[in-house]
C-alpha cells in the first residue's frame, strides 16, 4: 500500500514581505517536543509567531495523555490525541468548538478534519492492545539487574568502572567513571543523579582512545553534605552503572503476524522523557528502507518505574523485511551514536 512517512516537514515561503514563513511539522508527540522545536528554530536565528498543535493544546490547558499515529489505506495519516481538560469543560459544545477553531487556525489547509469526542468502544478496542506489554517482554527488556552475559537487547560493549572517593575534596564526594562514550552520556549521568536528589557542583570529562571516556563528578547531597553512607554509595553506583550500560532498551518482537519494534527509555522523576528518540528510530528505519505502518507512544509503570515506550509496527507488505537482529543492531547504534 502507499504509505506516507510519519515525520514530515514542509516549509511554505511567505507570499509577500512582512508575512510569516510557515513551517509545518507532522510527527508523533513526545515529552519536550515543543521545547526541542523551539530550540532548533532559535538556533537558526528565527523567531516564532505561531506554534504547532502541542502548543495550541497547552495554551488551551489541555493535557496530552497519549498519542496514536497510524496510516490509513488511502495513504493519509491519522493522529489520535488522548487528552484531559484542566478546566473540565471539554464536555461542553463551546469548549470543543473553541479547541477546533484554534487547531484550524494553526494547521490551515493541511487539516482534513478534526473531531473531539469521548472515546467510544471502537476507539477503546483499537487501542486496547497497547495498554499492556507482554509479560515475557516486560521481564526481559525492563529488568533492573545487569545480565551476566551481553544480551541481544541493549548493553554497551565496554564495562563501566565507577569509584567513590571522599578523601580528595573536603566538601564533595568524587565520583570517577570510566567507560564507553555514547550519545547522551552526560545526560544519562545527570538524570540519574537528579533522580537521586544529588547535586553536581562541577566535573571534568576526558575523551580517551577507542571511544572510551573518563568523567570526574564532584557531588553532594541535597543537604550539602558528602555521601558517606556505604549503602547510599552502593545504590548510586549500581544505578549509574545500569543507566550507562543500558540507557535504552530495544527489541523486535511479534505482534500477531507482524513485526513490532519496541524502544523504551526511563522517564525522569520530573516527568520528562529522553529527547530525539523517535528521530533516531525513524533515521535507522529509513537507512534500512523499512516503512512504518503505525506508531504508538505511551508510558507504563514497570517494576515501580515509569518508562516511555515507542511501539512501531513495521510494514511487511513487500515481504522484504530485514533480519530482526540487523534492525535491532542499527537502531541501537543510531540511538547510542555509534553509527
Amino acid at each position: 500500500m502507499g504509505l506516507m512517512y510519519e515525520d514530515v516537514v514542509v516549509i511554505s515561503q511567505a507570499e509577500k514581505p512582512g508575512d510569516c514563513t510557515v513551517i509545518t511539522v507532522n510527527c508523533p508527540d513526545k515529552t519536550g517536543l515543543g521545547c526541542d522545536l523551539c530550540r532548533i528554530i532559535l538556533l537558526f536565528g528565527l523567531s516564532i509567531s505561531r506554534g504547532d498543535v502541542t502548543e495550541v493544546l497547552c495554551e488551551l490547558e489541555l493535557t496530552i495523555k497519549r498519542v496514536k499515529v497510524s496510516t490509513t489505506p488511502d495513504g493519509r495519516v491519522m493522529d489520535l490525541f488522548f487528552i484531559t481538560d484542566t478546566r473540565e469543560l471539554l464536555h461542553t459544545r463551546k469548549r470543543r468548538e473553541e479547541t477546533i477553531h484554534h487547531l484550524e487556525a494553526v494547521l490551515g489547509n493541511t487539516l482534513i478534519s478534526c473531531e473531539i469526542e469521548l472515546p467510544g468502544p471502537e476507539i477503546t478496542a483499537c487501542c486496547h492492545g497497547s495498554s499492556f506489554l507482554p509479560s515475557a517482554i516486560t521481564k526481559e527488556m525492563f529488568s533492573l539487574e545487569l545480565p551476566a552475559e551481553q544480551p541481544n537487547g541493549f548493553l554497551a560493549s565496554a564495562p563501566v568502572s565507577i569509584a567513590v572517593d571522599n578523601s580528595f575534596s573536603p566538601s564533595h564526594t568524587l565520583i570517577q567513571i570510566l567507560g564507553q562514550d555514547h550519545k547522551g552520556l552526560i545526560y544519562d549521568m545527570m538524570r540519574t543523579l537528579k533522580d537521586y536528589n544529588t547535586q553536581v557542583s562541577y566535573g571534568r570529562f576526558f575523551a580517551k582512545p577507542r571511544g572510551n571516556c573518563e568523567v570526574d563528578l564532584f557531588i553532594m547531597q541535597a543537604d550539602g553534605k558528602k555521601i558517606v553512607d556505604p549503602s547510599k554509595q552502593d545504590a548510586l553506583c549500581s544505578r549509574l552503572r545500569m543507566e550507562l550500560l543500558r540507557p535504552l532498551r530495544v527489541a523486535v518482537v511479534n505482534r500477531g503476524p507482524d513485526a513490532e519494534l519496541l524502544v523504551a527509555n526511563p522517564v525522569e522523576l520530573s516527568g520528562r522523557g529522553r529527547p530525539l528518540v523517535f528521530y533516531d528510530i525513524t533515521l535507522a528505519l529509513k537507512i534500512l528502507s523499512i516503512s512504518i505502518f503505525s506508531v504508538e507512544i505511551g508510558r507504563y509503570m514497570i517494576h515501580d518505574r515509569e518508562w516511555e515506550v515507542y511501539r512501531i509496527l513495521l510494514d511487511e507488505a513487500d515481504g522484504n523485511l530485514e533480519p530482526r537482529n540487523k534492525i535491532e543492531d542499527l537502531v541501537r547504534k543510531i540511538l547510542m551514536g555509534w553509527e
Side-chain angles (χ1 to χ4, degrees):
M1 65 179 67
L3 299 176
M4 294 178 63
Y5 287 106
E6 302 294 327
D7 276 3
V8 178
V9 178
V10 178
I11 300 178
S12 304
Q13 298 292 341
E15 295 181 359
K16 58 184 179 180
D19 285 354
C20 295
T21 296
V22 179
I23 302 177
T24 303
V25 181
N26 178 45
C27 66
D29 190 27
K30 70 176 182 65
T31 302
L33 176 64
C35 177
D36 294 339
L37 292 175
C38 292
R39 182 174 56 202
I40 294 171
I41 291 173
L42 293 175
L43 284 173
F44 281 87
L46 304 174
S47 60
I48 303 170
S49 59
R50 288 194 295 174
D52 57 302
V53 173
T54 55
E55 182 180 357
V56 174
L57 295 178
C58 181
E59 289 176 352
L60 292 171
E61 299 180 53
L62 299 172
T63 303
I64 300 173
K65 292 295 186 180
R66 193 167 159 205
V67 179
K68 179 179 174 66
V69 179
S70 58
T71 306
T72 60
D74 58 2
R76 294 180 295 179
V77 175
M78 180 175 64
D79 299 337
L80 293 178
F81 292 87
F82 293 82
I83 59 177
T84 57
D85 186 5
T86 56
R87 302 181 193 173
E88 298 183 352
L89 295 173
L90 205 54
H91 62 281
T92 65
R93 180 177 178 181
K94 180 179 179 181
R95 178 68 162 150
R96 296 185 186 187
E97 289 179 347
E98 175 193 23
T99 302
I100 293 175
H101 174 75
H102 278 76
L103 289 171
E104 288 175 341
V106 169
L107 297 176
N109 295 332
T110 61
L111 180 65
I112 298 176
S113 65
C114 179
E115 299 177 3
I116 300 177
E117 58 186 20
L118 290 174
E122 67 282 357
I123 298 296
T124 304
C126 174
C127 302
H128 181 70
S130 62
S131 298
F132 302 96
L133 295 174
S135 58
I137 296 174
T138 302
K139 183 177 181 180
E140 181 179 346
M141 278 193 68
F142 300 97
S143 171
L144 297 180
E145 300 294 330
L146 284 174
E149 299 180 359
Q150 179 168 327
N152 257 352
F154 215 74
L155 202 65
S157 59
V160 173
S161 172
I162 302 178
V164 179
D165 187 348
N166 272 317
S167 63
F168 190 85
S169 169
S171 57
H172 293 82
T173 294
L174 170 62
I175 300 288
Q176 295 180 302
I177 302 173
L178 179 63
Q180 186 175 13
D181 193 10
H182 67 257
K183 182 168 63 178
L185 174 74
I186 302 299
Y187 166 77
D188 289 322
M189 294 178 186
M190 294 301 133
R191 67 175 171 82
T192 303
L193 293 170
K194 179 181 178 182
D195 286 352
Y196 271 77
N197 203 22
T198 302
Q199 178 182 342
V200 180
S201 297
Y202 52 97
R204 297 189 292 249
F205 176 89
F206 308 93
K208 301 177 75 68
R210 299 181 180 179
N212 292 325
C213 65
E214 182 177 336
V215 182
D216 292 342
L217 298 174
F218 292 84
I219 64 175
M220 63 174 64
Q221 299 179 122
D223 59 7
K225 298 179 180 180
K226 292 184 177 183
I227 304 176
V228 295
D229 186 339
S231 62
K232 290 184 178 180
Q233 293 179 5
D234 291 343
L236 179 58
C237 290
S238 177
R239 178 53 64 88
L240 277 170
R241 189 175 291 107
M242 167 61 75
E243 300 299 342
L244 296 181
L245 284 173
R246 305 185 73 186
L248 301 108
R249 314 296 168 92
V250 176
V252 178
V253 300
N254 292 325
R255 187 171 177 180
D258 302 312
E260 180 180 55
L261 171 64
L262 292 177
V263 178
N265 59 265
V267 177
E268 301 173 31
L269 291 182
S270 63
R272 294 180 61 85
R274 191 184 191 90
L276 299 179
V277 173
F278 191 70
Y279 171 81
D280 287 339
I281 294 171
T282 54
L283 175 60
L285 295 178
K286 179 180 179 182
I287 292 173
L288 293 171
S289 299
I290 297 175
S291 298
I292 296 174
F293 183 74
S294 68
V295 178
E296 300 173 27
I297 305 172
R299 294 191 172 187
Y300 303 81
M301 289 299 299
I302 303 171
H303 300 315
D304 297 322
R305 193 176 188 191
E306 188 175 25
W307 295 80
E308 192 167 59
V309 181
Y310 297 75
R311 306 187 66 174
I312 297 96
L313 193 62
L314 305 178
D315 180 29
E316 300 182 88
D318 54 8
N320 295 322
L321 194 66
E322 295 282 354
R324 297 188 175 189
N325 61 338
K326 184 176 180 179
I327 298 173
E328 291 180 2
D329 185 59
L330 184 59
V331 171
R332 181 182 308 116
K333 287 181 177 178
I334 295 293
L335 285 165
M336 297 291 275
W338 295 338
E339 184 70 23

